[in-house]
């Protein structure tokens, strides 16, 4: 059985450490009340009303992203010259957002991905870009989006999903790719080659995850 | 026999069932045949056994190791389609390959259509080859070990992947 090594990631993290949950709640309240994060709530309901400071901070940030950045991201996808092997303006845009607030950025991307599931350009733009980011920076939403892509009707979206798992190259990705079945022979051949590549790279030749 | 090699995105060419005679999608044309000064970049190789050299020339300029597809075109078919080929210096840091860069020049709406037809023929005849990320990494590693390329010549985003 394979598992993700999250310990290593947390050691590399530069998040501020708060001594206790109380500290964090105070911090979150301060952030909202001091106006560092504008509360852009547009709709609330009894079931979605945030009850804790953490939820308030996350929801405020999410709404700020949706209001201020969704249009910009979609415009970038429309304007970007995506070419395999090269960075696009979207790469740096998303890196900046992840550095700012990784948790909310992943949630925001995930919701955009679902909302635009019929738009091949948006899905491939997001997948091509997150494929260039570290697996642990985009997980779990990134791999979930790539998994969803594998069942899309567009051949380009399905291929982008496979490419994302190939680029992230973790044991989890290998486990996914070992269980992918493609209708097109050329894509199945590609998956088989990537599985061989990852087995070699991860030193898991012949092992099952 | 000399051959010409160009990077394409196979999935864009297969958006429509071109193998069954459907028309090529506009995405394939606008993404894979984006001209600059009415020219398109290709790499010339001595034969199929040198295909890895054309791929190395391309990959050595990359910012990310992404799987790529390349189509192999016959110079005779290119000439028959009325396309002009001109030798130009390639931007690759692999010095012994820089001289094998070519441009398809003076392209027009009509000649681009002919080139698209040649690429479709290439796909039909299985003259499209896929190089995965790991295969590209190996090509670059071998070139570094052979002294054809130094790690410092790679794009900064790639350097850390090579010892």
């Amino acid at each position: 059985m394979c598992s993700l090594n999250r310990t290593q990631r947390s050691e590399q993290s530069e998040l501020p450490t708060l001594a206790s949950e109380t500290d964090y709640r105070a911090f979150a309240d301060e952030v909202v009340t001091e106006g560092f994060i504008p509360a852009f709530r547009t709709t609330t309901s009894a079931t979605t009303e945030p009850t804790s400071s953490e939820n308030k901070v996350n929801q405020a940030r999410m709404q700020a992203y949706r209001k201020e950045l969704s249009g910009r991201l979609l415009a970038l996808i429309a304007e970007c010259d995506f070419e395999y092997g090269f960075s696009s303006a979207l790469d740096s845009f998303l890196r900046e957002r992840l550095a700012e607030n990784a948790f909310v950025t992943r949630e925001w991307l995930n919701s955009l991905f679902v909302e635009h599931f019929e738009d091949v350009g948006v899905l491939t733009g997001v997948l091509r870009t997150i494929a260039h980011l570290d697996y642990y920076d985009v997980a779990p939403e990134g791999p979930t989006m790539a998994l969803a892509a594998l069942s899309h009707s567009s051949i380009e979206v399905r291929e982008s999903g496979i490419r994302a798992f190939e680029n992230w190259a973790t044991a989890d990705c290998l486990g996914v790719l070992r269980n992918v079945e493609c209708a097109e022979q050329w894509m199945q051949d590609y998956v088989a080659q990537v599985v061989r590549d990852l087995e070699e790279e991860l030193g898991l030749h012949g092992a099952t995850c | 026999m000399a051959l010409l090699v160009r990077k394409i995105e196979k999935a864009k060419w297969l958006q429509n069932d071109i193998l069954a005679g459907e028309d090529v999608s506009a995405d394939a044309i606008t993404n894979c045949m984006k001209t600059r000064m009415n020219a398109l970049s290709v790499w010339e190789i001595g034969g199929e056994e040198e295909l890895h050299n054309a791929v190395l020339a391309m990959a050595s300029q990359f910012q990310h190791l992404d799987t790529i597809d390349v189509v192999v075109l016959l110079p005779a078919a290119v000439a028959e389609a009325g396309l002009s080929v001109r030798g130009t210096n390639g931007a690759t840091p692999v010095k012994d390959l820089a001289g094998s860069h070519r441009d398809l020049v003076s392209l027009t709406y009509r000649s681009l259509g002919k080139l698209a037809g040649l690429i479709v023929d290439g796909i039909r005849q299985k003259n499209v080859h896929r190089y995965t990320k790991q295969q590209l990494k190996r090509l670059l590693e071998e070139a570094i070990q052979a002294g054809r390329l130094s790690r410092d010549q790679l794009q900064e985003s790639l350097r850390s992947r090579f010892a």
Side-chain angles (χ1 to χ4, degrees):
Chain A
M1 185 118 172
C2 302
S3 61
L4 299 176
N5 185 352
R6 290 186 175 279
T7 315
Q8 194 179 359
R9 290 296 306 168
S10 62
E11 282 169 359
Q12 293 168 354
S13 168
E14 292 178 4
L15 288 171
T17 48
L18 299 167
S20 65
E21 189 183 350
T22 313
D23 284 355
Y24 185 82
R25 284 178 190 280
F27 166 73
D29 276 332
E30 187 185 344
V31 164
V32 173
T33 55
E34 293 297 321
F36 292 114
I37 300 176
F40 280 115
R41 187 188 315 286
T42 50
T43 56
T44 55
S45 72
T47 53
T48 60
E49 184 69 36
T51 52
S52 76
S53 303
E54 287 181 48
N55 286 336
K56 280 179 191 167
V57 170
N58 289 338
Q59 189 158 346
R61 176 69 80 177
M62 177 70 151
Q63 287 178 0
Y65 275 28
R66 292 179 73 85
K67 183 168 179 176
E68 295 176 354
L69 300 177
S70 292
R72 201 163 141 208
L73 180 133
L74 295 173
L76 271 175
I77 289 175
E79 292 163 8
C80 270
D81 278 332
F82 292 107
E83 185 179 351
Y84 288 122
F86 296 95
S87 298
S88 73
L90 195 56
D91 285 42
S92 46
F93 177 75
L94 283 187
R95 276 181 210 282
E96 284 167 19
R97 300 290 79 75
L98 282 165
E100 199 170 72
N101 188 325
F103 179 82
V104 173
T105 297
R106 291 194 301 263
E107 280 283 322
W108 168 61
L109 276 179
N110 196 36
S111 64
L112 275 172
F113 193 86
V114 173
E115 287 161 17
H116 293 270
F117 204 68
E118 289 185 59
D119 190 328
V120 171
V122 171
L123 301 197
T124 54
V126 168
L127 288 167
R128 288 169 84 129
T129 307
I130 63 173
H132 286 161
L133 303 171
D134 188 278
Y135 180 83
Y136 299 102
D137 287 341
V138 294
E141 287 84 355
T144 306
M145 286 185 260
L147 269 175
L150 298 180
S151 61
H152 201 278
S153 60
S154 159
I155 194 170
E156 274 187 87
V157 175
R158 291 200 302 276
E159 194 204 25
S160 297
I162 295 166
R163 283 172 172 272
F165 285 116
E166 177 189 19
N167 276 11
W168 292 324
T170 66
D172 285 356
C173 297
L174 175 59
V176 170
L177 292 176
R178 276 176 171 162
N179 290 285
V180 168
E181 285 184 8
C182 306
E184 301 83 3
Q185 188 55 48
W186 71 269
M187 210 184 296
Q188 191 66 53
D189 292 343
Y190 168 45
V191 170
Q193 180 60 51
V194 174
V195 166
R196 286 193 292 274
D197 289 348
L198 293 190
E199 284 174 345
E200 184 187 320
E201 191 176 346
L202 299 168
L204 294 170
H205 227 44
T208 52
C209 286
Chain B
M1 180 180 61
L3 299 167
L4 299 172
V5 182
R6 173 156 179 88
K7 181 156 78 88
I8 62 165
E9 289 189 27
K10 187 173 179 175
K12 291 213 182 288
W13 290 82
L14 296 178
Q15 276 182 1
N16 295 342
D17 194 355
I18 56 169
L19 300 179
E22 282 186 17
D23 204 1
V24 176
S25 70
D27 280 358
I29 305 289
T30 55
N31 280 272
C32 303
M33 298 173 64
K34 198 175 290 169
T35 59
R36 198 167 293 166
M37 302 293 284
N38 299 314
L40 276 179
S41 163
V42 292
W43 293 87
E44 187 175 294
I45 52 172
E48 198 142 331
E49 69 283 357
E50 292 178 15
L51 185 57
H52 59 278
N53 274 335
V55 175
L56 173 62
M58 296 176 207
S60 56
Q61 306 169 61
F62 282 1
Q63 293 168 307
H64 299 281
L65 285 182
D66 287 327
T67 288
I68 58 164
D69 299 304
V70 293
V71 62
V72 177
L73 305 169
L74 295 172
V78 169
E80 200 175 314
L83 302 172
S84 305
V85 183
R86 183 184 297 158
T88 52
N89 251 351
T92 177
V94 185
K95 284 211 167 61
D96 62 281
L97 295 178
S100 55
H101 185 260
R102 306 284 180 268
D103 273 333
L104 301 178
V105 296
S106 308
L107 291 167
T108 63
Y109 165 73
R110 197 165 300 168
S111 56
L112 264 189
K114 288 182 179 172
L115 180 58
L118 293 179
I119 294 175
V120 170
D121 288 345
I123 294 170
R124 276 207 189 102
Q125 292 158 12
K126 300 192 187 305
N127 281 330
V128 173
H129 303 270
R130 172 157 286 205
Y131 282 74
T132 62
K133 177 184 171 182
Q134 188 72 1
Q135 290 168 329
L136 295 179
K137 190 178 176 201
R138 211 170 295 139
L139 272 182
L140 291 171
E141 277 170 351
E142 286 168 5
I144 290 170
Q145 279 164 16
R148 299 173 74 192
L149 173 68
S150 88
R151 184 178 162 276
D152 293 341
Q153 290 174 302
L154 293 172
Q155 295 285 332
E156 197 176 347
S157 50
L158 274 194
R159 278 179 215 155
S160 62
R161 293 175 178 272
F162 298 90

